[in-house]
Amino acid sequence: MTEAREERRFAEVSRDSVKLMAESAGVELSDDLAAMLAEDVCYRLREATQNSSQFMRHAKRRKLTVEDFNRALRWSNTEAICGYGSQDALPFRPLKEGEFFFVEDREVNLVELALATNIPKGCAETTVRVHVSYLDGKGNLEPQGTVPSAVQSLSDDLLKYYQQITRAILGEDPHLMKVALLDLQSNSKIAALLPYFVYVISGVKSVSHDLDQLNRLLHMVKSLVQNPYLYLGSYVRSLVSSVMYCILEPLAASINPLNDHWTLRDYAALLLSHIFWTHGDLVSGLYHQILLSLQKVLSDPVRPLCSHYGAVVGLHALGWKAVERVLYPHLPAYWANLQAVLDDYSVSNAQVKADGHKVYGAILVAVERLLKMKAMSLTPSSEGGAAALHKSAGGVMGFRESSPGLSPPPEPLSEPPLGIASHLQAGGAGCQWEEWTPVSLPAMYCELYSFFGDSLAVRFSTGPALGSAPPPGPLQSQEARKEPGSGAANLESTRKMPQLTANMNISPRQDGSPHTDPAPPSLAATATGRSLARSSSSSTSVPRSRSSSSRPGRSASQSRDIFPKARFPPPQAGPPAFSFVIGGRQMGRRCQGRRFQTSFTPTPPLGSLPPRAYAHKLPVIGRVSKPMRCWTCSHYSLYLPL
Amino acid sequence: PTWLNTTNEIARIFTSILRAFVITQVASALGKMATVQDGPTDPESEKETKPDILSDGSANLPGLTSGALSTSPVTAPSTGTSKPEDQQTLLAVLQFLKRNNLTESVDILRREAGLSDEADDTQGAEAGGGGLGTGASVGAESGDANSLLSRVSIGTGASQNTVASTPAKGGEDQPDVSVVLSAYSQQGDPSLYQVYYSGLKKFIESVLDCHRAELSQVFYPLFVHMYLELVYNNYENEAKAFFEKFSGDQECYYQDDLRVLSGLTKKEHMKGNETLLDFRTSRFVLRISRDSYQLLKRHLQERQNNQIWNIIQEHLYIDIFDGMPRSKSQIDSMSGSLAGEARRDANKTKVFYGLLKEPEIEVPLDDEDEEAENEEGKPKKKKPKKDSMGSKSKKQDPNAPQQNRIPLPELKDSDKLDKIMYMKETTKRLRLSPETLPSICFYTFLNAYQGLTAVDFTDDSSLIAGGFADSTVRVWSVTPKKLRKVKSAADLSLIDKESDDVLERIMDEKTASELKIMYGHSGPVYGISFSPDRNYLLSSSEDGTVRLWSLQTFTCLVAYKGHNYPVWDTQFSPYGYYFVSGGHDRVARLWATDHYQPLRVFAGHLADVTCTRFHPNSNYMATGSADRTVRLWDALNGQCTRIFTGHKGPIHSLAFSPNGKYLASGSTDGRVLLWDLGHGLMIGELKGHTDTVYALKFSRDGEILASGSMDNTVRLWDAIRAFDDVETDDFTAATGHIHLSDNSQELLLGTYLTKSAPVIHVHFTRRNLLLAAGAYNP
């Protein structure tokens, strides 16, 4: 009975087998001896097997191999068995007559083997590959062990498409790039590739030294954003962070002053606002996040000026409300820093100073529009509404896209807008920012004026000048302003005077520029189409604007006393509104239905616009370009929501 | 380096090995120390840890290859006591040595015995006075001595003769069984064994619930010993019947051992069966409350059940404690090891688990790096460095060992640079929490037909090395930076050695490649470890050697021989220079790279040492073994300072927490246990894996424990919560009886499947990205 149990538990070598083997070795065994031997052999086999399992465990396998067993045999000073090392299963064959099983052991013809021509190819090289990734410990929502669905549905064709597109966009050939971008913009079957493209775009961080590549990547963002068939979902966040990177980070490329990273930042800012206005509703709180990070950069004095510049243009691009909320309250604090940079005439500071002027210009543009828009929002809604209705000839759809530029709060975006008037009202009411008390326009103007002085005033008052003949306002204001300047007995103020007049001279001239050649921001402007004119023009006018602006903040009270009285009542009454009407008309003229091209959002055609227009919109300090900028600016605000 | 007088050390170790070997053999042969357990466990007895350490050695080690008490200078002298009985023992030993022509050892032993005469006189007397009566865990020394006395004086020369006759036959690794098993010679009526056993069984089943769980512990060791006694005395059929009848009653976690046992039915088979030798030679340790024990004792005495009583006295070590009897789950969580639980006094030594003070390094403000950092994102310009350095280095951890407790190599300039890099990376480290889990990258070894057996990453995660069953060691560069060899000597002589970029110039561009293969071993490479400075690589193999490879030249520098049997694991100290290895010969060895012989030999495990890990402060090392225990060894004196029992299968992975306070161990049963080193307690059990846990690693800040297993998963555990949840009041700390709440599911933060690749290594990068590695196994 015990025997039977034993048999069930272990493989047994029968005494007959032992006898047989002994016979084959030429030894005659008695039954007793054979039985004892058999038992011992069994035991030894079990022992060896147990030992061999240790080798298996340490080799981190589940399969016991012949090799393991041989090692165990070697441990116990037994000869290893040769010839069974093959990975394949060994054929175990029965022999009927002897109830005998054996492993087939065919003879191998060595000569044949040696001379065989079909030499097996060497097995592939052992390699290490990074494979499954669980990002932030996630990816587990999907069935475990499977690849993410997007990857799963990735056919070869798609993969090829992806490769071609990325290669074309990041490659050398500009024409090919355009084609690729266009396709990316209109292809309806690339949803599965979205994560890949987003990933590629997130590569901006690794090519911060290469403006060209950054530009290409940004264009890729634009194409993706404009593709009506793509649902960006939470990838918006990733895209925004890539774009923000281009706007805010002190790119490696900016070390070389010859690199025009400013343009890149402007473009990225534009793109940011575009993404935000078209897809902002996909991610809640995005607007606030963006504002917050922009504010953070702006309030960080350690950051280089180009970052600050990025923050300013970013705010500007997000609309005047953003400027009012973030930039304006922060200006007094920031001003002191900027001033310090601008006042340093040392040679070593030249570069930084030039950067400072850029920032200065950007701020100027931003606040200028802020004032304008604010003034506009304050005018009776009838007027504004009329103007708006004129403008929004493109229809409600067109309006929907364009209105956010005027009133940033993202909430209205989600609900169907009724008309621009309602938006304006909503915007004027300050909407969701209850905690923030809006500064009255006059007060704001006063304060801003204390910073920017003449340059600001010119901007403000030239608006009306466009429509009417040479306005009396500006002249008045200049006179009024001159008084505090000279009263302070400031050397600079005296220097400032002739420049101011020069400024005046130019302003009438500008009316041609916006009309004949309106300069809406051109998103479609390719990387090649950028002009450096802006920077060169800025350098010529630097001294003036700097000196005028260099009036320290503490002298502001002085000017404030005089200024509102002399300055404000007239403009508040009519001129701002007037200028708006003109602008609106202009806009209306330009915003014909033909502008809306893509199927899901009727956006104005971008490619058709001359690239240099884009360049003009960039903030510049020089007088020459100022009026123009002034115009492009108002354009800009209306065109923003492309 | 002259700072470690190693030649002396080695000489001492060697002689001590020899001595310990001889002594323990003789001792165990002569004395089947009948430690009488009935006495009160007076707290004083716990003070006698010193002699206990020795007895631990002698109890556990006899007959092992190198039953080395590497601490011999400290502890060994206590063997040679001056009492007349011991003198007799000594004489026996000397006789034995002489017979084997070990004259040198004879001299040494004589000298030492003579020297220690006076020193031990008092101790011996004390032990003799107090020890005899007190019993229980009374210093095993006195117990030893007494039993020796009785044996030698009563047992006549017979036992001496056995000693004398045994020696050579056994050789180094085949200790003579008859010596070891001689205690089984006494026998009762074989047919009555079943009656005895079932009688006890009936009794234990009838006692109160609270005692039953405790007393049930006796079953397994009793069963094994009775079975072996039957086998030994050639009652094969009775043995089989006995096994058949009662093997089913044993706890399921002893299945593996029972299987071995069941195969063994002949006295001859007992020879050379290591598992059995272990069982015979080490006393099975049980922890039983005083009440339960009294109950058992009374029962056995009433029934005159001498057979069982003898076994209990001779082969079991009953650690009696006062207080509440433990519950079944408490017992189950601690039992499972080959030799029962750890004695309480084995875990009393103070462990300096704190971290060493980091050397202060001035961080130069490097503009380039600054720039790079800014590009990365947050503007952390001013603050990062000094803070991260200062906070840690200023305070000295009260639990930390002295800075120079063991000599550590001085930092080279390159090390300092690396430290600076480390600091910088640290500032960018992701703070992990149950909410923010790490991302996981899996490194799959493709086409690893030859079998991937070991993987290691460098600390900075720039290199990955694989050990393969085809004896090769392969190193890959994970970064775009290729691996390059140093130029040949002839080319090197042409180099301008003064140039600043000499380190760059010495590299041979022509050899640049992603992969370097290193040949040298003649067996599967089971363990692999990068040196912290990334200049060296250690590999341990089945061929019994540990090899040191240069990652500059990609050649073998040294082959450390000593283990003679497969070396299962090896690891570099976190400070470099030292390394530890453990293998089939059941010992772990501490080496220094510039010594070809080990500095310390850690013996005590009853089965293969399967994995070895250094404590973060380099003063301790943990070893996991196939005897299902984890031991912690002190590098300074070679003592075993902690024995952790509770695993139910061989331990294949260990990981210290970064703060040095905790240890995690994973075994073949798929469970991960957590241990508190300071208190010597089990503090957690993580159930989830369904197969052997081959890889464990704490995240850089210790918030998360990652485990990789044969079941193709990586699991993440909430380490902080696991450590916090434990209520360690004074009582549990004192008794070690811990209530483990079964909260594995709550602690499990995630299970991540690989694609048919067993996970054999996990690694956290300096920024807390989790890397796992394994071979694709279709």
Side-chain angles (χ1 to χ4, degrees), chain A residues 346-364:
Chain A
S346 62
V347 178
S348 60
N349 193 45
Q351 184 56 43
V352 180
K353 207 172 104 179
D355 290 355
H357 281 298
K358 290 273 191 205
V359 181
Y360 172 82
I363 297 177
L364 196 52

Side-chain angles (χ1 to χ4, degrees), chain A residues 26 45 70 72 83 106 116 148 214-215 243 247 249 288 311 358 411 433 464 467 480 524 553 564 609 614:
Chain A
L45 278 178
N70 272 341
R106 262 176 290 163
L214 287 175
N215 242 317
V243 173
I247 300 178
E249 287 309 311
H288 276 274
K358 290 273 191 205
E411 274 78 346
W433 295 337
L609 294 162
Y614 170 56

Side-chain angles (χ1 to χ4, degrees), chain A residues 78-352:
Chain A
T78 314
E79 252 177 72
I81 315 163
C82 299
Y84 298 95
S86 160
Q87 298 279 336
D88 308 324
L90 294 167
F92 211 48
R93 278 185 42 185
L95 200 68
K96 275 254 170 62
E97 47 268 32
E99 281 186 42
F100 189 66
F101 294 84
F102 67 99
V103 177
E104 199 167 15
D105 197 5
R106 262 176 290 163
E107 283 184 13
V108 177
N109 187 338
L110 280 178
V111 178
E112 221 168 71
L113 191 72
L115 301 176
T117 49
N118 58 337
I119 299 162
K121 294 206 181 83
C123 40
E125 188 58 35
T126 310
T127 46
V128 186
R129 287 286 170 271
V130 182
H131 263 270
V132 186
S133 309
Y134 291 97
L135 272 180
D136 301 331
K138 289 188 197 79
N140 229 12
L141 304 171
E142 330 225 355
Q144 296 189 343
T146 58
V147 278
S149 60
V151 182
Q152 233 163 12
S153 61
L154 214 56
S155 64
D156 278 356
D157 289 340
L158 269 181
L159 211 60
K160 233 175 257 171
Y161 173 84
Y162 164 76
Q163 281 167 351
Q164 297 290 348
I165 286 281
T166 45
R167 223 172 276 161
I169 293 178
L170 300 178
E172 295 298 310
D173 188 347
H175 180 69
L176 209 58
M177 183 183 90
K178 262 180 212 163
V179 174
L181 286 174
L182 264 178
D183 191 73
L184 207 56
Q185 201 172 320
S186 55
N187 199 320
S188 59
K189 302 185 180 72
I190 54 169
L193 287 172
L194 182 61
Y196 290 78
F197 286 125
V198 170
Y199 176 75
V200 168
I201 288 163
S202 70
V204 285
K205 297 182 176 73
S206 54
V207 292
S208 73
H209 56 279
D210 190 340
L211 278 179
D212 202 36
Q213 294 286 356
L214 287 175
N215 242 317
R216 286 155 184 270
L217 289 172
L218 285 182
H219 278 91
M220 207 160 152
V221 175
K222 197 207 78 182
S223 290
L224 287 178
V225 169
Q226 289 189 331
N227 190 323
Y229 304 103
L230 279 182
Y231 173 73
L232 295 181
S234 55
Y235 288 111
V236 166
R237 205 177 282 276
S238 169
L239 288 177
V240 163
S241 81
S242 295
V243 173
M244 293 278 276
Y245 181 86
C246 291
I247 300 178
L248 294 178
E249 287 309 311
L251 305 167
S254 53
I255 295 168
N256 184 350
L258 294 178
N259 277 333
D260 186 16
H261 57 103
W262 309 103
T263 317
L264 181 85
R265 290 177 203 278
D266 294 337
Y267 180 65
L270 212 52
L271 200 53
L272 176 70
S273 76
H274 183 59
I275 295 176
F276 172 62
W277 293 122
T278 51
H279 294 84
D281 49 339
L282 293 178
V283 182
S284 60
L286 188 66
Y287 184 67
H288 276 274
Q289 273 177 23
I290 296 174
L291 281 194
L292 214 63
S293 51
L294 290 175
Q295 185 176 19
K296 224 166 106 189
V297 170
L298 203 60
S299 57
D300 185 353
V302 178
R303 288 276 193 151
L305 284 166
C306 50
S307 286
H308 293 153
Y309 177 85
V312 174
V313 293
L315 286 168
H316 181 60
L318 284 175
W320 64 276
K321 278 281 171 192
V323 176
E324 190 179 22
R325 269 307 303 280
V326 179
L327 181 60
Y328 174 70
H330 191 67
L331 211 50
Y334 186 71
W335 199 254
N337 292 323
L338 187 61
Q339 205 63 56
V341 171
L342 295 179
D343 277 343
D344 187 348
Y345 284 92
S346 62
V347 178
S348 60
N349 193 45
Q351 184 56 43
V352 180

